[in-house]
């Protein structure tokens, strides 16, 4: 990492609470292809960056930060897989325990982009396998995803809440809201709000922290360093 962030004990404990709420268990039943296998959708491929090695820096609430980059891109039948590696900032300056490394995949097929977290103990995402975008990329598009939470099958609901154009770089942006039943969250509902920017991928992230908090955790892309 190019920087270390030192913050107070209270904020460190608050960040550690993010990992205390049980994460969603990945699905145990693989998806079955139905009908002809479609090639990866061009509209979805256009949502993600393509340059291997470019570094993306994210910063947010309570001095949270992480860095990630595309390590490689693989092609499979009907899929394109982006392998992402990175590191979550250690707010303790090296004194905290646990693994701060990050490994993810973005899998693009003919209908959707799926985010898979392979390693991310300190990443503040609760859902290790999430369908983050689905066609059509239009305001109001809705979809559902079955998943296990603490051993119980739940249905996550997602909706593209808005489609806009960033006034600074003129890129299309898509804001998606995801909700799913989860104990320990306000009204027993976990909520994420994500904004994806065309050609950039994830631009902004928000999520509920827990019943005792009346605000949401968040982080935003702050810098892209070209290789």
């Amino acid at each position: 990492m190019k920087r270390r962030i030192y913050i107070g004990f209270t904020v460190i404990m608050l960040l550690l609470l993010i990992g205390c709420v049980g994460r969603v268990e990945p699905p145990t039943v693989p998806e079955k292809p139905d009908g002809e296998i479609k090639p990866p959708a061009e509209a979805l491929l256009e949502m993600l960056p393509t340059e291997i090695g470019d570094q993306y820096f994210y910063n947010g609430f309570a001095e949270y930060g992480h860095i990630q980059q595309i390590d490689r891109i693989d092609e499979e039948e009907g899929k394109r897989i982006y392998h992402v590696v990175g590191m979550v900032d250690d707010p303790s300056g090296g004194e905290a325990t646990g693994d701060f490394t990050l490994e993810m995949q973005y899998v693009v097929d003919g209908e959707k982009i799926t985010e898979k977290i392979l390693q991310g103990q300190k990443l503040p995402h609760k859902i290790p396998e999430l369908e983050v975008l689905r066609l059509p990329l239009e305001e109001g598009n809705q979809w559902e995803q079955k998943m296990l939470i603490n051993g119980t099958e739940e249905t996550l609901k997602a909706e593209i809440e808005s489609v806009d154009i960033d006034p600074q770089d003129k890129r299309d942006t898509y804001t998606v809201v995801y909700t799913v039943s989860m104990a320990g969250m306000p009204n027993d509902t976990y909520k994420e709000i994500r904004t994806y920017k065309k050609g950039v991928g994830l631009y902004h992230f928000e999520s509920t922290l827990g019943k005792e908090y009346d605000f949401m955790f968040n982080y935003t892309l702050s810098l892209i360093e070209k290789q």
Side-chain angles (χ1 to χ4, degrees):
M1 294 299 295
K2 297 186 177 178
R3 63 198 189 288
R4 288 185 175 176
I5 299 175
Y6 296 88
I7 61 176
F9 175 76
T10 302
V11 177
I12 293 175
M13 291 301 296
L14 185 57
L15 280 174
L16 292 176
L17 281 171
I18 294 172
C20 292
V21 180
R23 291 176 182 260
V24 180
E25 301 169 27
T28 56
V29 180
E31 293 183 5
K32 295 181 180 179
D34 118 324
E36 182 183 355
I37 297 177
K38 302 176 182 178
E42 191 62 34
L44 295 175
L45 293 175
E46 290 176 350
M47 294 301 301
L48 299 177
T50 58
E51 295 298 322
I52 294 174
D54 288 353
Q55 295 184 323
Y56 286 66
F57 292 88
Y58 292 89
N59 291 287
F61 171 76
E63 303 299 333
Y64 170 82
H66 79 257
I67 179 176
Q68 66 184 51
Q69 67 183 46
I70 298 175
D71 184 53
R72 72 180 194 275
I73 302 173
D74 292 336
E75 301 282 350
E76 292 185 4
E77 186 177 17
K79 296 178 181 179
R80 182 172 297 175
I81 304 173
Y82 297 75
H83 298 267
V84 176
V85 296
M87 186 76 67
V88 178
D89 290 344
D90 179 359
S92 72
E95 297 181 1
T97 60
D99 189 350
F100 286 82
T101 59
L102 172 63
E103 183 180 357
M104 306 167 65
Q105 289 180 352
Y106 284 94
V107 182
V108 184
D109 61 25
E111 298 178 342
K112 64 187 179 297
I113 300 176
T114 302
E115 176 189 85
K116 297 182 178 182
I117 301 173
L118 306 180
Q119 188 170 346
Q121 185 183 110
K122 299 298 183 179
L123 189 72
H125 296 193
K126 300 296 182 187
I127 304 171
E129 188 165 324
L130 177 63
E131 296 175 5
V132 295
L133 285 171
R134 264 192 173 272
L135 295 178
L137 297 179
E138 298 174 355
E139 183 175 329
N141 183 30
Q142 301 177 359
W143 62 93
E144 296 183 350
Q145 181 183 352
K146 299 289 185 182
M147 58 184 60
L148 291 177
I149 300 180
N150 297 323
T152 302
E153 185 175 82
E154 302 288 356
T155 300
L156 176 138
K157 297 182 178 181
E159 179 177 0
I160 299 179
E161 187 176 69
S162 63
V163 179
D164 302 288
I165 297 177
D166 188 308
Q168 294 186 333
D169 58 17
K170 307 304 180 183
R171 292 178 181 266
D172 295 337
T173 62
Y174 301 81
T175 298
V176 189
V177 179
Y178 314 82
T179 57
V180 66
S181 294
M182 184 181 292
M185 294 295 171
N187 301 314
D188 289 328
T189 300
Y190 175 69
K191 181 178 183 179
E192 281 188 9
I193 303 173
R194 300 185 181 207
T195 297
Y196 285 87
K197 183 179 288 192
K198 189 173 182 178
V200 173
L202 181 60
Y203 178 72
H204 180 75
F205 175 94
E206 295 181 46
S207 69
T208 46
L209 276 168
K211 288 183 178 179
E212 63 269 41
Y213 303 104
D214 58 359
F215 53 87
M216 296 182 74
F217 174 87
N218 69 80
Y219 66 77
T220 303
L221 178 66
S222 60
L223 177 67
I224 301 175
E225 286 192 357
K226 296 294 183 180
Q227 188 181 27

